[in-house]
Amino acid sequence: MKLTDRAMRILHVAGEGLLVSDTFGRVHLLDDEFHVIRSSPRVREGRPLYGLAVADGWVIGKDRMGAVLRWSLDTLDLVNRLDPVTVCDPSGLIEGEEPSPVSSRGIGVWDGRVFVTSGYHHQMLVLDLHTFDVLEIRPNICGNSPMEWACVEHPTRHAVSDKEGNLRFGSFTDLEFSDHVKLDDGNIHRVRYDSRHDRFWCTQDFGEGDNADIANGVVVVSVDGEKQDEYLFARDDVEFVAFSPDFSKAYSGGFDGELHIFDNSTPELRVQRVVSGFSHQLSDITVSPSGDVFVLCQDGEITRLTADGTFVRAMGFRRQAVWDIQPSREDPAVLYCATDSGVAVAEVHQRASGPTLHITEDHETGLGFTRRVAPVEGGWLAVTRDRHVLRARRGGEVVWDRRLPEGLLHTVAASPDGTRALVAGNAGAVELDTATGETLTTLGVDGLPVWAATYLPGGERVVATRNGVLAVFGEDPGKPQWRLDQGEYPKRMWAQDGFLYVVGDGGLKEIAVGRGVTRTWRELLSNTAENATVSDGLVCVSSYGMQVAAYTYDGDGFVGFMEDLPDYPKALSIVRDRDGRPHLLVGCRTGLLSLYRMDKPAEEGTFAKLEDRWLPRRPARFTLSYGAPAAR
């Protein structure tokens, strides 16, 4: 038997095997060959399990809405579930407050007690590990920010991190965590104690100070809370750090898709090997007692490596995701979908029930997941995770394919006349001739990673850097016509109806070129905004918190909300019925395409599900590569 649902967390348990939590709130035990030994039962309230811990024969988990669960390790039978709505201190809630979704991982287990933030992030539950009785409901150690990690590996000095870059030291014995250091402007996903050198290693998501949203990596802190050193190797979130059993090696990586193997035989932070070519972004790691390394990617694939990073085997998880949806230039009812395996073509057909989707083409590229698509005459442009830019015709024939050697690629846009393509990447922006794929020019802003790029209606080029700088370039690629530091990192950007729209860390922003930000939509979004649509007086925004929100364009009124989605919504597009009324198409992980009417009254939430359709799932095709670290 194999896993069928995407893994969220992995943890190797001595004498047992590989423990895996999934998107539907289940836990599974696998052997080192990835065979499923046993699985927990499904529960009706099953949601993605982000927190995972094992202690004294029990498995403890926390889902995205704050439910806390306990299974027997011997059988994986579910024994307890604490509801996030009612297990709280009502006196500490504001009127009408409900649990908020969060992807926090933090579960502390110490001296027979479990410490975990609840669905109300400013509250913390203290549980008896062996009875699961609620011993105390108290203020969160981290204030209003969920506890992201709890490290109890030091015999007396405990450390907890939060989602605002804070690291606190103290003890779960007396719950005094008075020592504090700020290490990041975002999440500190992992804090691990290095017993070889008596210090803590911490991850960074954004970086801090002058490096914020520019460079990040791992930070080393003494047991007294003093920052000792850092190694900035990443341009995106760093998700984990772990050690070999003898602490001679450390492993770290994240959304850049590279595993950095540190030589930890001496206190100096020194990377000895970089492993790349994984199927996807890296999201978790665990090391077995024998020293084998297991790496989890965001698509659900798990790869087993030796201690030095040599490939052993992959699980072969069948996965799919829809990253982007763009209508063709010739017909808005023909949609190009960027997927984990390539590009799919969907056509909108009108039926008695309303619009419906037919998948007419599904092309596998073998070039890593397709991050974005852009329509051009007769087909599409695409950028892939493996740094390829390609042009293809309807039917899948590839016109040209170029691999850009430097930096991960993020977005692609076609010029209004279709003759040029603007590609955003960590090494800057590159403009290509869409007929041949040849480079026309390069664009950069202060040497920063470019995470989004687009064209204005007049053909001017716009780039947005990771740290939120927007620059508009006319004919001179060396000097922008206009520049705006809007302060938050972008995910996507496009021009529409005389405005520039940027979606990312600050929600959705409408920008008047030459003036600045004119509108912002972000209310109730619990995480980074991923995508958005603006149409017919309605604004829809999806977030990394598995949410989709609807707002009125005029007045910015909040009129709709969905946050119990089965997985991350990545792609949004507007399709219309035979009378021209707009429907929202949402593309998610699992290859799900969901179509919603938007005609419910605002007081009923605006969205009404019309249909779901899934794209075929396939195992990833990838080959690992090995290299030396870049100069520090």
Side-chain angles (χ1 to χ4, degrees), residues 70-132:
R70 185 178 71 147
W71 299 264
S72 164
L73 179 60
D74 289 339
T75 62
L76 294 190
D77 287 341
L78 181 61
V79 180
N80 303 89
R81 179 182 182 275
L82 299 178
D83 194 279
V85 175
T86 53
V87 181
C88 64
D89 177 4
S91 68
L93 305 182
I94 62 175
E95 185 177 355
E97 185 175 358
E98 297 179 353
S100 300
V102 68
S103 56
S104 69
R105 302 140 168 83
I107 300 176
V109 183
W110 181 254
D111 193 24
R113 294 179 295 166
V114 178
F115 304 86
V116 59
T117 47
S118 74
Y120 306 96
H121 304 158
H122 55 283
Q123 295 187 359
M124 173 172 280
L125 307 180
V126 182
L127 313 173
D128 186 294
L129 173 63
H130 300 288
T131 66
F132 231 51

Side-chain angles (χ1 to χ4, degrees), residues 606-626:
T606 297
F607 298 109
K609 176 71 72 68
L610 186 58
E611 70 171 23
D612 289 330
R613 188 176 295 269
W614 283 264
L615 295 172
R617 303 197 303 174
R618 300 185 179 96
R621 293 192 285 158
F622 65 98
T623 302
L624 297 184
S625 57
Y626 303 88

Side-chain angles (χ1 to χ4, degrees), residues 39-273:
S39 298
S40 69
R42 288 185 178 270
V43 293
R44 184 173 183 178
E45 305 88 351
R47 296 186 177 101
L49 278 168
Y50 288 99
L52 186 66
V54 172
D56 293 344
W58 298 107
V59 179
I60 312 299
K62 176 187 176 183
D63 75 15
R64 67 182 294 266
M65 293 303 294
V68 187
L69 306 97
R70 185 178 71 147
W71 299 264
S72 164
L73 179 60
D74 289 339
T75 62
L76 294 190
D77 287 341
L78 181 61
V79 180
N80 303 89
R81 179 182 182 275
L82 299 178
D83 194 279
V85 175
T86 53
V87 181
C88 64
D89 177 4
S91 68
L93 305 182
I94 62 175
E95 185 177 355
E97 185 175 358
E98 297 179 353
S100 300
V102 68
S103 56
S104 69
R105 302 140 168 83
I107 300 176
V109 183
W110 181 254
D111 193 24
R113 294 179 295 166
V114 178
F115 304 86
V116 59
T117 47
S118 74
Y120 306 96
H121 304 158
H122 55 283
Q123 295 187 359
M124 173 172 280
L125 307 180
V126 182
L127 313 173
D128 186 294
L129 173 63
H130 300 288
T131 66
F132 231 51
D133 291 343
V134 179
L135 303 178
E136 184 183 0
I137 302 175
R138 65 178 309 279
N140 176 16
I141 291 169
C142 306
N144 291 326
S145 179
M147 183 172 68
E148 180 64 6
W149 196 257
C151 178
V152 296
E153 295 160 330
H154 188 281
T156 59
R157 186 73 159 164
H158 302 157
V160 299
S161 67
D162 65 19
K163 288 187 166 296
E164 296 177 354
N166 299 298
L167 182 64
R168 293 174 173 84
F169 292 97
S171 173
F172 281 110
T173 300
D174 57 15
L175 289 174
E176 290 292 330
F177 284 82
S178 56
D179 296 336
H180 166 267
V181 61
K182 177 83 168 176
L183 297 179
D184 192 49
D185 285 353
N187 291 304
I188 301 176
H189 287 306
R190 290 292 163 89
V191 183
R192 301 298 303 272
Y193 175 63
D194 175 2
S195 63
R196 178 179 282 257
H197 301 299
D198 192 28
R199 60 188 184 180
F200 292 92
W201 289 51
C202 309
T203 62
Q204 291 180 315
D205 257 15
F206 299 166
E208 62 170 334
D210 293 340
N211 287 314
D213 281 331
I214 295 175
N216 52 296
V218 293
V219 180
V220 172
V221 180
S222 73
V223 293
D224 296 325
E226 179 183 353
K227 180 177 175 179
Q228 295 179 324
D229 202 357
E230 63 184 7
Y231 196 107
L232 306 182
F233 58 82
R235 297 298 179 267
D236 208 335
D237 297 3
V238 177
E239 294 290 298
F240 56 75
V241 64
F243 297 103
S244 60
D246 63 357
F247 289 87
S248 65
K249 289 182 171 60
Y251 306 92
S252 188
F255 286 179
D256 282 343
E258 295 181 333
L259 177 66
H260 286 70
I261 303 177
F262 289 79
D263 178 356
N264 197 42
S265 59
T266 66
E268 178 189 3
L269 293 181
R270 185 174 70 86
V271 174
Q272 62 182 149
R273 199 178 198 188

Side-chain angles (χ1 to χ4, degrees), residues 289-577:
S290 65
D292 277 357
V293 178
F294 295 82
V295 178
L296 171 65
C297 291
Q298 273 215 324
D299 60 355
E301 180 64 285
I302 305 174
T303 304
R304 179 182 170 189
L305 312 172
T306 62
D308 67 356
T310 302
F311 178 83
V312 177
R313 62 173 39 86
M315 183 170 65
F317 181 71
R318 294 174 59 246
R319 86 287 190 253
Q320 191 58 283
V322 183
W323 289 87
D324 195 15
I325 302 172
Q326 298 293 336
S328 73
R329 290 203 169 205
E330 294 80 11
D331 184 353
V334 175
L335 306 171
Y336 300 136
C337 304
T339 72
D340 266 353
S341 51
V343 175
V345 181
E347 294 183 2
V348 181
H349 292 251
Q350 303 298 336
R351 297 292 182 261
S353 59
T356 187
L357 298 177
H358 289 184
I359 309 302
T360 57
E361 301 175 31
D362 186 16
H363 305 290
E364 187 175 8
T365 66
L367 302 175
F369 70 86
T370 304
R371 200 166 173 86
R372 302 286 188 267
V373 290
V376 290
E377 183 179 354
W380 65 84
L381 301 166
V383 292
T384 78
R385 182 66 177 185
D386 290 357
R387 304 179 185 176
H388 286 257
V389 188
L390 59 95
R391 178 174 180 170
R393 296 189 176 96
R394 282 290 304 272
E397 178 189 357
V398 176
V399 179
W400 52 260
D401 173 10
R402 278 197 61 190
R403 188 175 192 274
L404 300 182
E406 300 295 332
L408 291 175
L409 306 181
H410 297 289
T411 69
V412 61
S415 62
D417 63 4
T419 63
R420 296 173 290 151
L422 192 56
V423 180
N426 279 351
V430 179
E431 189 171 43
L432 306 177
D433 185 315
T434 57
T436 64
E438 295 179 356
T439 298
L440 298 175
T441 191
T442 59
L443 301 168
V445 179
D446 303 333
L448 298 168
V450 174
W451 274 20
T454 193
Y455 287 94
L456 296 180
E460 298 90 345
R461 298 154 294 185
V462 190
V463 301
T465 67
R466 183 192 177 193
N467 65 342
V469 176
L470 271 66
V472 178
F473 291 88
E475 294 183 2
D476 185 353
K479 184 179 181 180
Q481 296 176 338
W482 183 67
R483 175 173 168 147
L484 172 69
D485 186 351
Q486 52 88 33
E488 291 162 311
Y489 66 83
K491 286 285 189 175
R492 306 175 196 240
M493 179 169 61
W494 70 97
Q496 178 182 334
D497 300 329
F499 292 100
L500 189 66
Y501 289 94
V502 179
V503 64
D505 188 39
L508 174 65
K509 295 178 180 179
E510 180 186 83
I511 296 172
V513 174
R515 290 168 47 204
V517 177
T518 55
R519 298 173 188 261
T520 301
W521 297 271
R522 66 185 305 172
E523 184 182 353
L524 288 186
L525 297 179
S526 69
N527 210 313
T528 302
E530 284 276 329
N531 208 341
T533 63
V534 180
S535 176
D536 299 78
L538 196 65
V539 176
C540 298
V541 184
S542 64
S543 88
Y544 200 70
M546 295 188 187
Q547 302 164 310
V548 178
Y551 312 88
T552 58
Y553 178 81
D554 292 322
D556 307 334
F558 183 79
V559 294
F561 200 49
M562 297 184 290
E563 63 176 354
D564 207 12
L565 301 173
D567 215 322
Y568 292 109
K570 293 291 184 181
L572 299 183
S573 187
I574 296 293
V575 302
R576 298 185 182 276
D577 64 15

